[in-house]
Amino acid sequence: MVLAATSPLTRKLSAFAVLSEAELAVLAGLHGRRRCFAAGRDMAHQGQADQAAYILSSGWVCSYKLQPDGTRQIVDFQVPGDFLGLRSVLLRTSDHGFEPIVDIEAAEVLTGDLLEVFAQTPRLAMAILWAASRDEAMVVEHLVGIGRRDAGARMAHFLLELGARLALVGLGSREGYDCPLTQYHLADALGLSAVHVNRVLRQLRENGLVTFREGHVTLHDYRGLVAFAGFDPAYLDQTGPLLT
Amino acid sequence: MVLAATSPLTRKLSAFAVLSEAELAVLAGLHGRRRCFAAGRDMAHQGQADQAAYILSSGWVCSYKLQPDGTRQIVDFQVPGDFLGLRSVLLRTSDHGFEPIVDIEAAEVLTGDLLEVFAQTPRLAMAILWAASRDEAMVVEHLVGIGRRDAGARMAHFLLELGARLALVGLGSREGYDCPLTQYHLADALGLSAVHVNRVLRQLRENGLVTFREGHVTLHDYRGLVAFAGFDPAYLDQTGPLLT
């Protein structure tokens, strides 16, 4: 029970539903098959079939799509408490690849495990659907970012989103958070060149809003950054449980 | 039972799971509160709380996000069998607006209805999670399209995706489909100007690939268009039921 009470996924889902002891136990059961993966080595590649999904318990992962011309679009980053490849296990063929950014620990989840959880507790099924919906809302924001936001607002919005997600699982605050991403990751996620990323980060720092240096993001002026980015965190739905 | 057997949502979910009579009956029950909405009038606006989700049974809808500067990014179009605002009902505050493109008919679904369905049949819960995952996979493709594909490939990919989705619910084929979208819809979805959309469509027509005219998309050369777009439909997962 200690595991369930403190796992990042439990913390995250508790933002949607107040979970009973029985539900917490079912959730703990999903964390049974723990595995470690090394940084930089693909866990799944695009087009792969019959793969497992994972619940990330520590570390960072990026999910990406390769284009025929070899360019890479990073779709999202996963942080502790996030599912990896939930879509892949449901859609049979993985529509994306994912790769650990640092060494990670994750629990393997198969379709049968999910079906069993759903049969045992419909509220947990709703909570997992909530998490999937929230993931989709983030991808939508990234789409809007690339389609409609200038580079500065796009970067600011992205850093605020990461901060809010990490805060939900106890890994960040309005002051800042640890972040292992390189400028190449940021470039591939935001549709910018690494040089452009560098310039945008310098401007944000010089304007006293945020500093990203040596693996740490420092939010100097949270409100100023929110205004600059036009960041409305409602899509992250972190205001407290809906199902009580 | 006739309703359940023939509703577009039933056709769609049957691509994921072979549904029993009992499951079909539960799905039919979700279609109880039918409502009509007029073209061009918002069904939900961004930031609205406490709204319902809907299952679209006839007509087309677009979901979009407005930016602070008033520009609109269309995130996706919904066709019969799709959920409208499933994310909104789970995430409490709608992160997007949606607007019927033509007069539509849709069945209202509340959080309580979903919980009841989930409690009655975990397989249907999995199927709905599958549909949500597929929606997310489409948004991911749109993100990649805007981030990494040139205007021609982006348009071709988009028209092929729509065709595949419509074919799944019996509303299209590899020869073509009816489509009520205007060039303004296409522009707002693909991040292009209406003039640019016009030019791209003309080029695709002149190359003998596809004609979009008077509310109908004609696919002259399906394979050629697939090659031109780099279209791999695996992310739509329409190859037959996984859960049997």
Side-chain angles (χ1 to χ4, degrees):
Chain A
M1 292 310 304
V2 172
L3 177 67
T6 56
S7 83
L9 178 61
T10 305
R11 290 184 75 138
K12 191 169 91 168
L13 297 186
S14 298
F16 173 69
V18 176
L19 300 171
S20 68
E21 286 298 308
E23 287 161 345
L24 288 171
V26 172
L27 201 52
L30 266 188
H31 289 78
R33 285 190 302 279
R34 295 189 160 250
R35 296 183 55 187
C36 293
F37 296 90
R41 222 179 280 176
D42 263 351
M43 298 174 65
H45 57 265
Q46 206 165 310
Q48 187 174 341
D50 297 322
Q51 67 170 81
Y54 299 90
I55 299 164
L56 185 59
S57 46
S58 76
W60 290 54
V61 173
C62 75
S63 56
Y64 62 88
K65 294 202 65 137
L66 290 177
Q67 285 312 100
D69 66 0
T71 57
R72 174 172 85 157
Q73 174 71 49
I74 291 182
V75 172
D76 203 359
F77 298 97
Q78 281 73 45
V79 298
D82 288 342
F83 280 96
L84 307 175
L86 185 59
R87 243 179 20 245
S88 312
V89 69
L90 287 163
L91 299 183
R92 247 165 303 189
T93 306
S94 186
D95 71 319
H96 61 291
F98 44 98
E99 179 188 302
I101 289 168
V102 295
D103 292 350
I104 64 156
E105 193 178 283
E108 191 185 56
V109 179
L110 304 175
T111 318
D113 302 325
L114 279 180
L115 256 182
E116 208 172 300
V117 166
F118 282 26
Q120 287 176 309
T121 154
R123 278 165 52 93
L124 219 43
M126 283 286 279
I128 289 173
L129 184 58
W130 169 82
S133 299
R134 189 170 168 271
D135 287 347
E136 185 185 353
M138 286 188 252
V139 178
V140 167
E141 278 297 331
H142 301 167
L143 171 66
V144 171
I146 287 185
R148 306 283 166 187
R149 280 184 205 116
D150 68 33
R154 205 184 298 176
M155 175 71 77
H157 198 280
F158 177 79
L159 294 175
L160 284 166
E161 178 186 279
L162 271 180
R165 293 169 65 187
L166 290 163
L168 184 63
V169 292
L171 296 171
S173 73
R174 290 192 172 190
E175 276 74 55
Y177 52 89
D178 288 334
C179 177
L181 304 181
T182 66
Q183 298 194 338
Y184 297 99
H185 290 123
L186 294 175
D188 284 353
L190 300 175
L192 304 171
S193 68
V195 173
H196 201 170
V197 162
N198 222 327
R199 193 164 60 228
V200 167
L201 285 175
R202 192 175 62 237
Q203 281 165 350
L204 289 172
R205 188 174 65 239
E206 286 173 0
N207 291 336
L209 293 170
V210 59
T211 299
F212 182 7
R213 191 181 275 161
E214 290 171 11
H216 192 82
V217 172
T218 307
L219 305 170
H220 302 297
D221 176 2
Y222 181 81
R223 288 194 181 185
L225 195 61
V226 164
F228 176 76
F231 180 68
D232 174 356
Y235 70 100
L236 295 171
D237 199 45
Q238 301 188 175
T239 49
L242 179 68
L243 293 190
T244 52
Chain B
M1 291 310 301
V2 173
L3 177 68
T6 57
S7 82
L9 178 61
T10 305
R11 290 184 75 136
K12 190 170 93 170
L13 296 186
S14 298
F16 174 69
V18 176
L19 300 171
S20 68
E21 287 297 307
E23 285 161 346
L24 289 171
V26 172
L27 201 50
L30 265 189
H31 289 77
R33 283 190 302 280
R34 294 187 161 253
R35 295 182 56 185
C36 293
F37 297 91
R41 221 179 279 174
D42 263 351
M43 296 173 66
H45 57 262
Q46 206 164 310
Q48 186 174 339
D50 296 323
Q51 68 171 76
Y54 299 90
I55 299 165
L56 185 58
S57 45
S58 76
W60 290 55
V61 173
C62 75
S63 56
Y64 62 89
K65 296 202 63 139
L66 289 177
Q67 286 311 101
D69 66 1
T71 57
R72 175 172 84 156
Q73 175 71 49
I74 291 182
V75 172
D76 203 359
F77 298 97
Q78 281 74 42
V79 297
D82 288 343
F83 279 96
L84 307 174
L86 185 60
R87 238 174 32 239
S88 311
V89 69
L90 287 163
L91 298 182
R92 245 164 306 188
T93 306
S94 185
D95 71 319
H96 60 292
F98 42 101
E99 180 188 299
I101 288 168
V102 294
D103 291 352
I104 64 157
E105 194 179 282
E108 191 185 58
V109 179
L110 304 174
T111 317
D113 302 324
L114 279 179
L115 256 183
E116 208 170 300
V117 167
F118 282 25
Q120 287 175 307
T121 153
R123 278 163 52 94
L124 219 43
M126 282 286 277
I128 290 173
L129 184 58
W130 169 82
S133 299
R134 191 169 167 271
D135 287 347
E136 185 184 353
M138 287 189 253
V139 178
V140 167
E141 279 297 332
H142 302 167
L143 171 67
V144 172
I146 288 186
R148 304 285 165 185
R149 280 185 204 116
D150 68 31
R154 205 184 298 175
M155 175 70 77
H157 199 281
F158 177 78
L159 294 175
L160 284 165
E161 177 186 280
L162 270 181
R165 294 168 65 188
L166 289 164
L168 184 63
V169 293
L171 296 171
S173 73
R174 289 191 173 190
E175 276 73 56
Y177 51 89
D178 289 333
C179 176
L181 303 181
T182 66
Q183 299 195 337
Y184 297 99
H185 290 123
L186 294 175
D188 284 354
L190 300 176
L192 303 171
S193 68
V195 172
H196 201 170
V197 163
N198 224 327
R199 193 163 61 228
V200 168
L201 285 175
R202 193 175 60 235
Q203 282 165 350
L204 290 172
R205 189 173 65 237
E206 287 173 357
N207 291 336
L209 293 170
V210 58
T211 299
F212 183 8
R213 191 181 273 161
E214 289 171 12
H216 192 81
V217 173
T218 308
L219 305 170
H220 302 298
D221 175 2
Y222 181 80
R223 287 192 182 188
L225 196 62
V226 164
F228 177 76
F231 180 68
D232 175 356
Y235 70 100
L236 295 170
D237 199 45
Q238 301 189 172
T239 49
L242 180 69
L243 292 191
T244 52

